[in-house]
Amino acid sequence: MSVFPVIVIFGLSFPPVFVEIIIALMLFWLARRVLTPTGIYDFVWHPALFNTALYCCLFYLVSRLFV
């Protein structure tokens, strides 16, 4: 059971996980902005898979905070 109720924006209902997705997306954007200049992507075999795994990990951490 989530802490947040159903969110209604302009008549559209969004589940409580929508807030968690948006927060994880903002953290992912921030992490990419920090990691790109450091050159970490030079050591990554497949950047798209790395980005997907990074987002999944951040979403998991955010969702654990709200449960």
Side-chain angles (χ1 to χ4, degrees), residues 3-66:
V3 178
F4 297 116
V6 173
I7 302 163
V8 179
I9 300 173
F10 298 116
L12 297 172
S13 296
F14 295 101
V17 74
F18 182 72
V19 174
E20 297 169 9
I21 290 171
I22 297 300
I23 292 171
L25 190 61
M26 289 188 292
L27 288 173
F28 172 71
W29 178 77
L30 180 66
R32 278 195 59 198
R33 297 280 295 194
V34 169
L35 290 176
T36 301
T38 62
I40 193 80
Y41 284 98
D42 295 336
F43 300 106
V44 174
W45 171 67
H46 199 290
L49 289 177
F50 179 78
N51 287 337
T52 303
L54 179 63
Y55 178 76
C56 289
C57 291
L58 289 172
F59 177 70
Y60 174 76
L61 291 173
V62 169
S63 66
R64 292 294 99 199
L65 289 175
F66 285 109

